[in-house]
Amino acid sequence: MANLMNFFAGSGSYVASKELMSAVNVSIALAKPLLIKGEPGTGKTMLAESIAAALNKRLISWSIKSTTKAQEGLYVYDTVQRLYDSQFGEGDVGNIKKYIKLGKLGEAFTADEQAVLLIDEIDKADLEFPNDLLWELDRMEFYISETKETVKTKSRPIVIITSNAEKELPDAFLRRCIFHYIEFPDKKRMEEIVKVHYGDIDRRLLNQAMDAFYTIREMKDIQKKPSTSELLDWLKALMLAGVDVESIAGEIPFVGVLLKKNQDVDVMYEVKERGYSLRRW
């Protein structure tokens, strides 16, 4: 395992636990996709960016939507452009290759050097989407029926797949992945993350803000708990506004940076047992 650790050891802009670094390196060594789960805002997407930066590799990102189909990641045959060219005499319409547009997987497979491929929020797509990629991710190749060609990877990409656990993924897909769940950072690790972004932050401001942040997250009726990214935005707002440090816990300035639902804001203001004296901003 010691040799594996030479692959990825975090980066200056991303605080990774030893367990997460091990998962990344095992994924690289075994040439298997790394499936990362965790609540929104825990740095799943940024992990792929950090790996690419740390290993000096190109990052290819494929952001998945509810309408995304697996085929789009491989290639798209531009029939509309070919029809247009045939009608208006633009170029050689017999050359089908020029109407084949590679998707993000296609780009990663055909890259001259190993790339980092991010398949972001795979659970947004329909249930068949992960299964539709099994062959391609296993074999690292795909077939273009229009040109009767098989595209094989030049250098197997490092594949990072993220999921917010909105729906369960198929067992057949899970068996082919290395899995890691990013736990929400405790206060100590969160301080490390904050220091990466705001190295000169006032210690008193950080302490007050962190206490308020974690207290809000612990409120049982909060539906959308504030995430790491929202904490960072909130800290920046507090610093830019020059807010009185002693007022933070009692008033929660700029609460809309932390909480994004009316009912969550109401819950926070209704909580008395936490010891807050809150007023709306």
Side-chain angles (χ1 to χ4, degrees):
M1 190 63 176
N3 291 333
L4 291 179
M5 299 312 294
N6 294 327
F7 285 109
F8 177 68
S11 70
S13 61
Y14 189 90
V15 178
S17 67
K18 291 182 179 179
E19 294 78 13
L20 177 55
M21 288 188 287
S22 293
V24 171
N25 290 316
V26 167
S27 168
I28 294 172
L30 298 182
K32 287 181 175 291
L34 175 61
L35 174 61
I36 296 291
K37 285 189 178 182
E39 66 178 84
T42 49
K44 300 185 296 297
T45 300
M46 288 182 63
L47 172 63
E49 298 170 0
S50 175
I51 294 170
L55 302 183
N56 194 28
K57 296 184 182 297
R58 175 188 174 194
L59 174 65
I60 299 175
S61 299
W62 186 17
S63 296
I64 307 303
K65 302 177 181 179
S66 59
T67 57
T68 303
K69 302 299 180 185
Q71 176 64 36
E72 298 170 17
L74 304 176
Y75 73 94
V76 175
Y77 173 40
D78 194 345
T79 55
V80 174
Q81 184 63 50
R82 190 180 183 207
L83 178 61
Y84 177 89
D85 290 347
S86 67
Q87 291 177 336
F88 296 98
E90 298 288 338
D92 179 16
V93 297
N95 181 13
I96 297 179
K97 282 187 178 181
K98 75 175 188 175
Y99 300 104
I100 301 295
K101 311 296 182 183
L102 292 178
K104 297 299 184 180
L105 265 74
E107 288 182 31
F109 286 7
T110 58
D112 291 328
E113 297 182 356
Q114 186 182 48
V116 176
L117 172 63
L118 169 64
I119 304 177
D120 203 19
E121 299 189 327
I122 193 171
D123 52 327
K124 282 188 174 180
D126 64 44
L127 291 174
E128 290 305 312
F129 179 88
N131 283 334
D132 290 343
L133 291 177
L134 289 180
W135 171 269
E136 288 77 16
L137 290 177
D138 261 354
R139 303 285 182 167
M140 285 291 159
E141 65 182 46
F142 61 91
Y143 182 70
I144 301 178
S145 57
E146 289 80 5
T147 61
K148 297 180 173 56
E149 291 180 311
T150 297
V151 176
K152 296 185 177 182
T153 183
K154 293 182 179 180
S155 181
R156 191 181 188 98
I158 298 169
V159 181
I160 308 298
I161 303 172
T162 72
S163 169
N164 288 327
E166 292 181 6
K167 62 171 69 85
E168 287 298 321
L169 300 174
D171 288 346
F173 180 81
L174 294 175
R175 284 196 297 270
R176 290 164 170 80
C177 298
I178 305 299
F179 173 76
H180 183 80
Y181 185 88
I182 298 182
E183 298 285 351
F184 194 83
D186 59 18
K187 283 189 177 181
K188 182 179 179 181
R189 187 166 297 280
M190 187 64 83
E191 284 193 19
E192 294 178 28
I193 294 171
V194 170
K195 291 293 182 63
V196 167
H197 296 270
Y198 310 125
D200 58 349
I201 190 170
D202 180 81
R203 165 55 64 177
R204 292 185 307 136
L205 184 149
L206 177 58
N207 289 343
Q208 291 282 344
M210 291 272 282
D211 286 345
F213 173 77
Y214 278 96
T215 299
I216 291 171
R217 280 189 55 87
E218 290 169 4
M219 293 178 182
K220 64 179 182 179
D221 293 325
I222 295 291
Q223 295 183 23
K224 185 186 182 304
K225 296 180 180 181
S227 67
T228 303
S229 60
E230 286 155 343
L231 171 62
L232 293 173
D233 288 343
W234 189 46
L235 289 170
K236 185 174 183 179
L238 294 174
M239 289 187 289
L240 289 174
V243 171
D244 176 24
V245 172
E246 300 305 323
S247 72
I248 293 174
E251 299 172 347
I252 313 296
F254 316 118
V255 67
V257 180
L258 287 175
L259 299 176
K260 306 302 172 64
K261 293 189 174 186
N262 288 340
Q263 54 267 47
D264 288 346
V265 175
D266 291 339
V267 166
M268 190 191 71
Y269 287 125
E270 290 167 2
V271 171
K272 301 299 184 182
E273 66 272 19
R274 301 293 186 182
Y276 284 124
S277 173
L278 302 172
R279 67 178 176 84
R280 293 182 184 274
W281 278 67

